[in-house]
Amino acid sequence: KSFDFSSPDNTSDGCLKKRWKIINGKRCLIKGGSNLERQQPFNEVIATKIMEMLDIPHVPYELMWDNGEPYSVCEDFVDSNTDLVSAWRIMQIQKKDNNTSVYNHFINCCKALGIKNIKPALDRMITLDYIIANEDRHLNNFGVLRNAETLEWIGFAPIYDSGSSLGYDKRVSQIIRQSDIDCKPFKKTHDEQIKLVNDFSWIDIGSLRNIDQAICEVFDDENVKEFIDETRASAITEAALKRINVLEDIIFANVFSDDTVDGDVEENIAADYTQKFDI
């Protein structure tokens, strides 16, 4: 049976075709892709594999098909006992002065609310986004969980919604050159944002040695090849391997930025896909 995407969805941001659906008794979010390649659903599965390799808390995504179209599907990680409070909402509790960076403002707001262990969680999110060249980790694309009854803070939410990555809207030549890659939520470039990571001791870079195999597992399917041809798949794999090699150098150099407002993101909103794919 085909899924009905006609009803409005006011529970998740963004412009991609999506719908909440009960599947096997569980509330799941089904989400499509943009452009001719419909690459975002495949990227969600790849990001899931990477986070499994690095033991990063995350929402797992699987690939599903409907009428020959690819969709990502994930279970709702919030239930009647928990609330997801977005980073944007957290940052509204106090005014940011002009000399405080977006990153430090978020940290300060979390401290003011008594939310613990934020920096380690941000380290992992920023590192993942560097590896996959995520372009849409805006302030409503991560947040903190709290108890819905007591309002006690539970902790950083598992990472979710990583599909707008891996050159999802780029030509093959751009993917290979790794050009025109946007960055959010803190800095305009991933090269600057990765410097915000406080500690890399948690990462086993060796676990990423077989990332090419993980990516191939996703793209090496006849249904997928209708959207992602071998040239594009190879470019995506090559670019990811290059970023991991650079990340290894960064970890070895151990360069940490005493963060300032320089290079901060100015417009921290979700990407608009409607200009590229009519939904």
Side-chain angles (χ1 to χ4, degrees):
K1 182 178 178 180
S2 298
F3 291 105
D4 177 12
F5 290 95
S6 61
S7 69
D9 176 6
N10 60 3
T11 60
S12 59
D13 292 332
C15 303
L16 290 178
K17 191 175 183 181
K18 59 185 178 296
R19 175 74 186 270
W20 288 103
K21 193 78 174 179
I22 302 298
I23 302 177
N24 297 326
K26 298 179 179 179
R27 188 168 185 258
C28 298
L29 179 63
I30 305 167
K31 195 171 183 180
S34 62
N35 300 336
L36 295 175
E37 293 81 12
R38 310 290 201 275
Q39 190 176 318
Q40 287 96 327
F42 310 129
N43 291 347
E44 293 285 14
V45 177
I46 293 171
T48 294
K49 289 177 177 291
I50 293 172
M51 287 185 280
E52 288 174 351
M53 293 175 182
L54 297 178
D55 197 25
I56 296 175
H58 65 283
V59 177
Y61 286 76
E62 296 181 356
L63 189 64
M64 67 181 302
W65 297 87
D66 184 58
N67 287 331
E69 295 285 329
Y71 295 90
S72 65
V73 57
C74 68
E75 291 184 25
D76 189 1
F77 63 93
V78 177
D79 57 28
S80 59
N81 298 314
T82 55
D83 290 328
L84 171 64
V85 184
S86 70
W88 183 86
R89 289 191 177 277
I90 289 172
M91 293 171 70
Q92 307 311 304
I93 69 161
Q94 58 189 33
K95 186 176 181 180
K96 186 180 86 68
D97 63 60
N98 294 332
N99 295 320
T100 302
S101 68
V102 177
Y103 174 82
N104 280 325
H105 180 60
F106 178 66
I107 295 293
N108 292 340
C109 289
C110 288
K111 287 181 179 178
L113 291 170
I115 305 172
K116 299 178 180 179
N117 300 318
I118 288 299
K119 283 189 177 182
L122 289 178
D123 286 351
R124 287 157 175 78
M125 184 184 78
I126 291 171
T127 300
L128 169 74
D129 287 346
Y130 182 88
I131 293 171
I132 65 175
N134 192 350
E135 300 193 54
D136 201 29
R137 185 74 67 197
H138 55 83
L139 294 175
N140 281 313
N141 244 354
F142 68 102
V144 179
L145 296 176
R146 70 178 179 184
N147 186 296
E149 294 294 331
T150 66
L151 301 185
E152 179 182 0
W153 295 106
I154 299 171
F156 203 82
I159 295 177
Y160 60 93
D161 202 353
S162 303
S164 298
S165 55
L166 297 170
Y168 76 101
D169 64 345
K170 305 290 190 293
R171 298 187 302 273
V172 169
S173 60
Q174 291 176 296
I175 295 174
I176 294 173
R177 295 197 310 270
Q178 303 194 55
S179 60
D180 303 317
I181 299 175
D182 293 330
C183 181
K184 298 171 187 171
F186 303 120
K187 298 298 180 182
K188 296 178 183 177
T189 70
H190 285 284
D191 288 339
E192 287 301 313
Q193 188 161 270
I194 194 66
K195 295 177 184 177
L196 299 176
V197 174
N198 290 262
D199 177 26
F200 284 112
S201 63
W202 56 272
I203 190 171
D204 176 12
I205 201 72
S207 66
L208 298 175
R209 297 299 184 198
N210 295 326
I211 192 174
D212 53 337
Q213 296 179 19
I215 295 175
C216 286
E217 288 176 0
V218 176
F219 292 141
D220 192 18
D221 180 278
E222 292 305 317
N223 293 322
V224 176
K225 288 179 181 178
E226 181 180 342
F227 297 91
I228 308 292
D229 61 27
E230 292 184 9
T231 301
R232 187 175 187 87
S234 295
I236 292 168
T237 304
E238 179 184 337
L241 287 171
K242 285 182 178 179
R243 285 192 293 273
I244 290 170
N245 288 335
V246 175
L247 177 62
E248 188 170 13
D249 293 338
I250 292 171
I251 294 172
F252 181 77
N254 195 26
V255 176
F256 171 72
S257 172
D258 185 11
D259 191 32
T260 67
V261 298
D262 294 341
D264 270 10
V265 170
E266 296 170 358
E267 190 176 29
N268 220 322
I269 58 175
D272 181 4
Y273 308 101
T274 55
Q275 296 178 354
K276 303 167 185 175
F277 174 46
D278 184 9
I279 63 172

